Amino acid sequence: RDPNDESYSSNRVTSLIEEAMQGTIDDPKSPQGQALEWILQDAMGNPPEKDFRVLQRFGLATFHFATVSDSEKWDHVTGWLSVEHECTWHNVRCGPDGSLSFPETGAAGRKLQNPLSDHVTYLAMDENNLHGNIPDEISLLSNLAQLHLQGNFLDGTIPEALSKLERLHTVFLDNNYFTGTLTDKIGDLPLLMNVDISKNSMTGSIPDVFSTSAYLSYLRLDDNNFSGNFPSSLVQLSSLQVLTLGNNDLKGELPQDVSQIGKLGILQLHENEFFGNIP
């Protein structure tokens, strides 16, 4: 059949998306259903040159539909869901993340894919009146390095799907309404450097999985409802400069070497129930 035939293209796009999602989209009114309808129309008149761009545009479209509603729209939406290349959409950037240099080997020795000029590596929708949840399809932005969503009205849980983004090094989700627990798969991100989940409503213990986070330098988890003990793996971090755990429900004895953590310059532990001495 002619690859330019509409039914062929529609079937191909649908198959790509269903394979990536490992399932079908049954609800046309869901963010995924709305994104599928959009991408099918988009691909007919604006067929991407590469398969990964179909998934990338679908992932961004799903993110958009998941964080808007009939009554709540984004403040800045220039370019989004247009025929223009997604790298030109408001606060979407593509190309190599030039601010940092990391080894090209990811978790378990897997080679990381070098992002090309049209791979999304940066998404910044901070203070943009986002409501709703972060959809799992965020993981379709497979080369994403920076995610800035702070200062919005996002709620629900922080998706475990973020742990699939092997190039992710900066995650700012502070000043939202996230609930639930922080997945221990956060320790699977080999390049993690900056994390801010402060000022949310997170619960449960802080996963003790940071021993291999060699680049982690900035970790803010203050002003939540985290409980449990001080994560002992944090004392092993040689690069950590900022650690804020204040105003939670943490308790227990502090590690004796807590003040010797990495290059620690800021340590905030107030409004918890810790005991012990800090040399």
Side-chain angles (χ1 to χ4, degrees):
R1 301 177 66 175
D2 180 0
N4 294 318
D5 179 75
E6 181 173 326
S7 62
Y8 176 88
S9 299
S10 176
N11 290 339
R12 180 167 173 268
V13 168
T14 303
S15 295
L16 279 172
I17 292 170
E18 290 181 347
E19 181 179 355
M21 295 180 61
Q22 298 182 332
T24 59
I25 300 174
D26 298 319
D27 182 2
K29 295 183 179 180
S30 68
Q32 293 79 8
Q34 294 177 76
L36 178 61
E37 180 182 2
W38 174 80
I39 196 70
L40 289 175
Q41 296 176 355
D42 176 66
M44 299 308 103
N46 182 39
E49 296 178 359
K50 299 177 182 178
D51 288 350
F52 85 86
R53 284 199 53 219
V54 173
L55 299 178
Q56 187 167 264
R57 288 173 76 83
F58 174 75
L60 289 169
T62 303
F63 174 79
H64 175 267
F65 286 117
T67 54
V68 300
S69 67
D70 292 338
S71 59
E72 299 292 348
K73 305 296 185 183
W74 291 2
D75 289 338
H76 305 284
V77 71
T78 304
W80 277 76
L81 304 189
S82 72
V83 298
E84 300 300 324
H85 196 296
E86 59 274 18
C87 296
T88 67
W89 296 358
H90 174 73
N91 276 8
V92 177
R93 300 179 190 170
C94 296
D97 183 58
S99 63
L100 297 167
S101 178
F102 291 113
E104 288 302 315
T105 301
R110 294 192 298 275
K111 293 293 288 182
L112 295 175
Q113 181 184 16
N114 283 320
L116 303 176
S117 59
D118 48 3
H119 284 255
V120 172
T121 56
Y122 177 97
L123 177 61
M125 292 290 118
D126 47 298
E127 298 184 1
N128 200 29
N129 200 39
L130 274 61
H131 291 68
N133 310 128
I134 301 175
D136 288 343
E137 288 73 20
I138 194 78
S139 64
L140 296 178
L141 308 179
S142 57
N143 281 289
L144 191 66
Q146 297 192 47
L147 180 62
H148 300 257
L149 301 180
Q150 66 270 28
N152 284 292
F153 302 91
L154 296 169
D155 55 22
T157 59
I158 296 173
E160 194 171 289
L162 287 178
S163 64
K164 298 178 181 179
L165 300 172
E166 287 195 330
R167 286 191 173 272
L168 193 63
H169 63 70
T170 296
V171 185
F172 288 161
L173 304 177
D174 51 291
N175 286 279
N176 279 288
Y177 297 88
F178 290 114
T179 57
T181 59
L182 182 60
T183 176
D184 58 6
K185 290 188 179 297
I186 191 173
D188 293 344
L189 294 170
L191 307 182
L192 200 60
M193 185 178 225
N194 306 297
V195 179
D196 193 340
I197 310 178
S198 63
K199 297 179 175 61
N200 280 285
S201 298
M202 303 290 292
T203 57
S205 60
I206 299 173
D208 202 2
V209 293
F210 296 101
S211 59
T212 58
S213 301
Y215 301 106
L216 189 60
S217 64
Y218 183 93
L219 180 61
R220 290 200 58 182
L221 301 176
D222 52 284
D223 292 286
N224 279 284
N225 298 308
F226 286 117
S227 58
N229 298 321
F230 185 96
S232 60
S233 59
L234 292 177
V235 303
Q236 304 175 43
L237 300 182
S238 59
S239 299
L240 195 61
Q241 300 178 39
V242 175
L243 175 62
T244 65
L245 303 178
N247 198 20
N248 279 291
D249 296 317
L250 301 168
K251 61 182 180 181
E253 185 173 10
L254 289 171
Q256 291 186 352
D257 49 358
V258 65
S259 63
Q260 305 302 314
I261 296 175
K263 304 171 183 177
L264 202 60
I266 297 176
L267 174 64
Q268 295 181 357
L269 303 173
H270 60 283
E271 300 298 324
N272 285 292
E273 296 183 19
F274 291 128
F275 64 89
N277 297 318
I278 299 180

